[in-house]
Amino acid sequence: MPDRSVLWTPLNSSALVKMASEGFLVMVMLTNVVLSSADFVSLKCQNSVGLVGQPSRLQCILKTAESLEKSPEITHVFWKYNNKVVLKMANGAKIGEERFKFADASWKKTMDISLLIDSTKISDQGQYSCVVSTNMGITGPVDVTLNVKAEYSEPVTAYKLNKDETRADMNCTAKGGYPQGAIHWFDSINTNWTGSSQTTATKMEDGSFVLQSTYTSNDVSLAPFRCVVFNSDWKEEHFVDIEIPIRVAPDKMISGVETKHIAAAVVVIGSLICGLLIALLLFRRRSRRHDDRYDDYPPDIEPEARAELTVDDGKDKVAVV
């Protein structure tokens, strides 16, 4: 019967130290194998901005050192979002959601392992990570951020006048935008009345926002009023002008009697102007006839002498030459 005491002989301190040192050496060797790939292979990625409903691309390219004579062979690719694998390529087999795929179909040759997201949603916004395994080791993870934006719809407007039609309550609504934007109000002379308005932003289930703004003007003569929708970068996306019919207030309207008086005054003034014009024409004609009577005098006789040489024959004055 074997001596069990040999099997259960405790290790002395020197043996433990030797085993620990050997294990540490193995771990260091393995770590060096993995980290050594960073000297030859690196992953270059860029953050991206995507639009809702459009494809979005998260760019990541595997770069190799110029000293390498042969390009590394990619064996595994992992794309993760919120600690969940959305795209995995292992031994030629693709695993992941249908909307997530490689942007470059020839990614194994081009080393472009960029992630393409079809029909981008607001919920796709966030931080992604990429890890690549090659025959030279593991590269990554490298973090990449996707920011998602959505354009607001054309604003819908309406207004309501008070009884005297001197004040207008207006509202403006824009939907479907992301991130949260703003609505501003302007009048016909470009005065900004946003400080007198009230705007609310409601977040919907899909993450988009609905902007609703109301503004009351006590002077409708400043119409048209303009509702302007700005995105989160304070860039104008849409605007709508609210046209309000301006009516003359009853106390400023001209009565029928006043209209008749004004018409009579216009007729009298017109008649006086016509009479003055006729009198001016007659005066000019008589002046011309008077000047024509002295045309037969010698040019060296002064006008005063001509009057002395004029003889009245009873019918008309005849010049004596």
Side-chain angles (χ1 to χ4, degrees), residues 122 177-178 180 200-211:
I122 295 176
Y178 184 84
Q180 181 178 333
T200 60
T202 304
K203 193 170 185 179
M204 309 304 291
E205 291 184 2
D206 63 352
S208 65
F209 286 91
V210 175
L211 302 179

Side-chain angles (χ1 to χ4, degrees), residues 81-314:
Y81 174 61
N82 286 339
N83 295 322
K84 176 185 176 182
V85 176
V86 294
L87 178 62
K88 174 183 176 182
M89 184 65 69
N91 300 321
K94 175 182 175 296
I95 302 173
E97 298 182 25
E98 187 65 27
R99 291 193 307 120
F100 297 87
K101 61 188 70 174
F102 288 106
D104 189 349
S106 304
W107 58 272
K108 286 187 176 181
K109 295 181 180 179
T110 62
M111 301 292 173
D112 184 352
I113 57 173
S114 300
L115 179 66
L116 183 67
I117 306 173
D118 286 337
S119 302
T120 305
K121 303 176 182 179
I122 295 176
S123 58
D124 293 330
Q125 177 171 277
Q127 183 173 286
Y128 293 73
S129 63
C130 180
V131 178
V132 180
S133 175
T134 67
N135 56 348
M136 299 186 64
I138 298 174
T139 303
V142 176
D143 294 332
V144 192
T145 300
L146 174 65
N147 292 311
V148 178
K149 294 186 177 182
E151 184 177 334
Y152 283 90
S153 63
E154 188 83 14
V156 177
T157 60
Y159 72 90
K160 182 180 180 181
L161 293 171
N162 64 345
K163 292 183 179 180
D164 296 334
E165 298 186 352
T166 57
R167 188 182 73 239
D169 297 325
M170 295 165 280
N171 61 72
C172 180
T173 303
K175 301 178 180 181
Y178 184 84
Q180 181 178 333
I183 290 179
H184 279 206
W185 292 90
F186 299 87
D187 61 19
S188 58
I189 57 176
N190 207 35
T191 302
N192 192 332
W193 293 98
T194 307
S196 301
S197 66
Q198 292 183 347
T199 302
T200 60
T202 304
K203 193 170 185 179
M204 309 304 291
E205 291 184 2
D206 63 352
S208 65
F209 286 91
V210 175
L211 302 179
Q212 293 179 309
S213 183
T214 59
Y215 166 62
T216 298
S217 174
N218 294 318
D219 187 0
V220 295
S221 65
L222 295 175
F225 295 93
R226 175 167 292 185
C227 163
V228 183
V229 179
F230 292 92
N231 60 23
S232 60
D233 296 325
W234 289 105
K235 293 182 179 179
E236 180 182 315
E237 288 191 349
H238 302 286
F239 72 85
V240 171
D241 288 336
I242 302 177
E243 301 283 351
I244 299 178
I246 300 177
R247 296 182 176 87
V248 180
D251 57 343
K252 297 182 180 180
M253 294 180 64
I254 301 175
S255 64
V257 176
E258 291 177 342
T259 303
K260 291 181 180 179
H261 291 168
I262 293 174
V266 171
V267 172
V268 172
I269 294 173
S271 300
L272 290 175
I273 294 175
C274 291
L276 290 173
L277 290 174
I278 293 172
L280 180 61
L281 290 173
L282 293 175
F283 177 77
R284 293 186 64 181
R285 285 186 179 181
R286 289 182 180 180
S287 298
R288 288 180 181 177
R289 289 180 61 187
H290 178 73
D291 293 340
D292 291 343
R293 295 173 183 173
Y294 298 99
D295 291 342
D296 296 332
Y297 291 109
D300 57 343
I301 299 177
E302 298 295 331
E304 294 79 1
R306 295 182 185 184
E308 296 177 357
L309 297 175
T310 302
V311 177
D312 190 358
D313 60 354

Side-chain angles (χ1 to χ4, degrees), residues 26-101:
V26 172
M27 184 177 65
V28 170
M29 292 177 62
L30 291 175
T31 304
N32 287 337
V33 170
V34 174
L35 296 179
S36 63
S37 64
D39 298 331
F40 303 100
V41 181
S42 61
L43 196 57
K44 303 297 182 182
C45 302
Q46 292 182 357
N47 297 333
S48 180
V49 177
L51 298 177
V52 170
Q54 302 295 323
S56 297
R57 178 182 179 132
L58 290 173
Q59 182 171 315
C60 275
I61 299 176
L62 198 65
K63 300 287 186 179
T64 58
E66 296 180 357
S67 59
L68 285 180
E69 297 180 357
K70 186 178 179 181
S71 298
E73 180 182 350
I74 299 176
T75 57
H76 296 78
V77 178
F78 297 88
W79 274 100
K80 297 179 66 177
Y81 174 61
N82 286 339
N83 295 322
K84 176 185 176 182
V85 176
V86 294
L87 178 62
K88 174 183 176 182
M89 184 65 69
N91 300 321
K94 175 182 175 296
I95 302 173
E97 298 182 25
E98 187 65 27
R99 291 193 307 120
F100 297 87
K101 61 188 70 174

